Amino acid sequence: MRLHLINPNTSTGMTTRIGESASRIAAPGTRIVATQPESGPVSIEGHFDEAISAVGVTEEIAKGERDGSDAYIIACFGDPGLMAARELTRAPVLGIAEAGFHVASLISTRFSIVTTLSRTGIIAEHLLQAYGFAHHCRRVRAAEIPVLDLEDDGDAALTRVIETCRRARDEDGIGAIVLGCGGMADLRGTIEEAVGIPIVEGVTAAVKLAEALVGLGLGTSKHGDLDFPRPKAFTGHFAHLSR
């Protein structure tokens, strides 16, 4: 199985760490290919960043189709470009927020989300509503750390995340916590040991769900709105996307 893991930002260090975390959890025989767009934001921390990064995600899907990928994971908690990506392939495409919500709901009746910044927490709230998980989530909490601090100031960032998770555990009446950033992919075990309740991390959750979908022989339906895009010309910077 070839599983194409797309980091929608352009941080090479984060792409490497996410890919390593995915490879550790993957089943024998699953090959993880971790990539990032050639152009775009170095981190994704708002709607504008997501809009720009979504184009890069679709370009990475096109590359994966040429290379014969069996499934795709979009490794940003905003799930940027998820529906557009699903239009471009018959293979399963998973966003790490949606994957995290599904897994957390299977092991607890209520969960909270711990993310990086308050503004990205609002985006997570939008996704909870869109995916139908708002009634499962008690609270979205922010550690108030920029995404790149997970790389540049890792120890301090980890401490803030653990402190925020402990408050969620003690105050929210929950059974599990979903980590709200792809950059936290390698921190799940450390955080779970420090907090003492199940911690769900979207990259690793998506890897196992993708393996299951491929094993079941299920892919993206092409009946309805996720059918391949209608052929048409694109102009200017997007001429290469013409079909």
Side-chain angles (χ1 to χ4, degrees):
M1 184 186 306
R2 179 187 174 96
L3 205 168
H4 190 158
L5 181 66
I6 302 168
N7 173 21
N9 72 39
T10 58
S11 168
T12 302
M14 189 172 295
T15 301
T16 299
R17 286 171 41 234
I18 289 173
E20 290 171 348
S21 298
S23 294
R24 283 192 293 270
I25 200 72
T30 297
R31 179 188 174 197
I32 302 294
V33 179
T35 68
Q36 64 191 51
E38 295 179 3
S39 303
V42 296
S43 63
I44 299 172
E45 298 174 313
H47 298 290
F48 179 72
D49 296 342
E50 286 191 4
I52 300 301
S53 68
V55 176
V57 167
T58 62
E59 292 174 336
E60 291 303 305
I61 294 288
K63 294 176 185 177
E65 290 297 278
R66 293 193 294 269
D67 294 338
S69 297
D70 296 298
Y72 300 88
I73 294 171
I74 300 175
C76 170
F77 204 75
D79 293 353
L82 176 58
M83 293 304 173
R86 284 175 173 165
E87 287 188 7
L88 296 175
T89 179
R90 294 185 185 276
V93 184
L94 285 78
I96 64 170
E98 189 173 20
F101 299 160
H102 275 288
V103 170
S105 72
L106 294 173
I107 62 171
S108 63
T109 56
R110 293 289 186 271
F111 61 84
S112 285
I113 297 169
V114 172
T115 188
T116 49
L117 300 170
S118 293
R119 65 182 296 166
T120 58
I122 296 170
I123 294 172
E125 291 172 354
H126 292 167
L127 292 179
L128 287 163
Q129 292 285 346
Y131 296 154
F133 285 96
H135 63 293
H136 288 283
C137 183
R138 294 299 290 266
R139 186 168 177 177
V140 180
R141 291 176 177 264
E144 300 301 352
I145 52 173
V147 169
L148 292 183
D149 275 13
L150 293 165
E151 291 188 76
D152 301 334
D153 194 10
D155 290 343
L158 175 60
T159 297
R160 292 288 297 274
V161 172
I162 289 173
E163 290 172 349
T164 307
C165 287
R166 285 173 172 161
R167 288 197 297 272
R169 176 199 64 193
D170 296 341
E171 299 173 10
D172 295 353
I174 55 171
I177 292 171
V178 177
L179 298 179
C181 179
M184 299 178 186
D186 59 337
L187 303 178
R188 191 203 70 81
T190 302
I191 296 170
E192 185 168 276
E193 182 177 356
V195 178
I197 65 173
I199 303 294
V200 177
E201 187 284 309
V203 172
T204 47
V207 168
K208 304 315 288 185
L209 291 178
E211 289 177 337
L213 289 171
V214 174
L216 288 167
L218 294 173
T220 300
S221 173
K222 293 302 161 187
H223 182 78
D225 62 315
L226 295 181
D227 195 4
F228 291 106
R230 290 175 57 83
K232 66 184 61 177
F234 285 68
T235 61
H237 293 300
F238 302 112
H240 65 289
L241 299 176
S242 298
R243 300 175 65 88

